[in-house]
Amino acid sequence: MTDRQIPQISSRKQPKQARSTELVAAILEAATQVLAKEGAHRFTTARVAEKAGVSVGSVYQYFPNKAAILFRLQSDEWQQTTDMLRSILKDVQKAPLERLRALVHAFIRSECDEAGMRVALNDAAPLYREAPEAHAAKASGDRIIQAFMREALPKASQVTRVLAGDLITATLGAAGKEFSESSRTNVEIKVYADAMADMFCAYLKHLGVAESKRPQSGQNGG
């Protein structure tokens, strides 16, 4: 693998005082607006500073470059998604398949509500997709999914659970992205989410039945 220079994407420093926190919040709000209006290809630190009403130097106090700003916006989006995964999939008051259905509806709704921003962030992904922070964010979501799979498929092998989790998250992400690229009504969103949830739930039910019929010794393969 060829070594490539990965831009610094971590913030230079964390705000500690209320005034600094407000400044960073203003910068991020301005960045959101610039990204939504200009897109990733025309996104610059200077435009963000102008929109926020601060100097470029003030922006550089906290973000070394535009990649760092974009990554912070992406990180916030990832954190929201992770929090959504955790709150829904760890709700033990509901059956696993009921939780999965709720997750599908929440995710598709979120994709449609924030489609413009997510498309722009996806365009900016080459700036930071190989950074350690990006891999750490993905790993956090994967752990939540796998914990859910252990509960939803208690008799399945680890190989089966990993495959099921990967298929569901990949399909949900890809299909949600494509679906949200066009304007959708509430009815369309519900119908689409219901159909996808039906598909995922049927898949997990099938796996559960199939794995329960396997000889006990077959569990050692995963």
Side-chain angles (χ1 to χ4, degrees), residues 7-20:
Q8 181 183 350
I9 59 175
S10 298
S11 301
R12 289 188 185 276
K13 63 180 182 179
Q14 297 299 319
K16 296 180 179 180
Q17 299 179 346
R19 184 176 179 181
S20 298

Side-chain angles (χ1 to χ4, degrees), residues 11 25 28 31 39 46 48 50 56 100 104 106 112 116 137 143 151 155 163 171 175 187 191 195:
S11 301
L28 293 175
V48 171
E50 180 181 7
V56 174
L100 179 57
V104 172
C112 291
R143 286 192 294 271
E151 185 179 355
K155 296 182 179 180
L163 176 60
T171 302
V187 172
V191 169

Side-chain angles (χ1 to χ4, degrees), residues 1 3 7 12-13 73 98 114 132 136 140 151 188 200 206 210 221-222:
M1 181 181 293
D3 290 337
R12 289 188 185 276
K13 63 180 182 179
L73 295 179
E98 186 179 355
E114 303 173 14
S140 178
E151 185 179 355
E188 288 175 325
F200 290 155
H206 168 75

Side-chain angles (χ1 to χ4, degrees), residues 118-132:
R118 296 193 183 195
V119 169
L121 285 173
N122 186 64
D123 290 340
L127 292 172
Y128 49 71
R129 65 158 54 102
E130 296 302 327

Side-chain angles (χ1 to χ4, degrees), residues 178-210:
E178 182 176 354
F179 179 75
S180 65
E181 287 176 352
S182 299
S183 179
R184 303 292 182 176
T185 65
N186 289 333
V187 172
E188 288 175 325
I189 292 172
K190 183 180 185 304
V191 169
Y192 189 85
D194 275 336
M196 183 172 287
D198 287 344
M199 180 176 67
F200 290 155
C201 288
Y203 172 51
L204 290 190
K205 286 179 181 178
H206 168 75
L207 288 179
V209 171

Side-chain angles (χ1 to χ4, degrees), residues 34-44 120 123:
V34 171
L35 184 61
K37 181 179 180 181
E38 304 288 348
H41 300 298
R42 298 192 63 206
F43 183 94
T44 66
D123 290 340

Side-chain angles (χ1 to χ4, degrees), residues 138-160:
K138 181 180 184 302
S140 178
D142 288 345
R143 286 192 294 271
I144 295 172
I145 292 294
Q146 280 309 305
F148 171 76
M149 286 299 162
R150 286 193 294 272
E151 185 179 355
L153 298 170
K155 296 182 179 180
S157 66
Q158 178 66 6
V159 171
T160 296

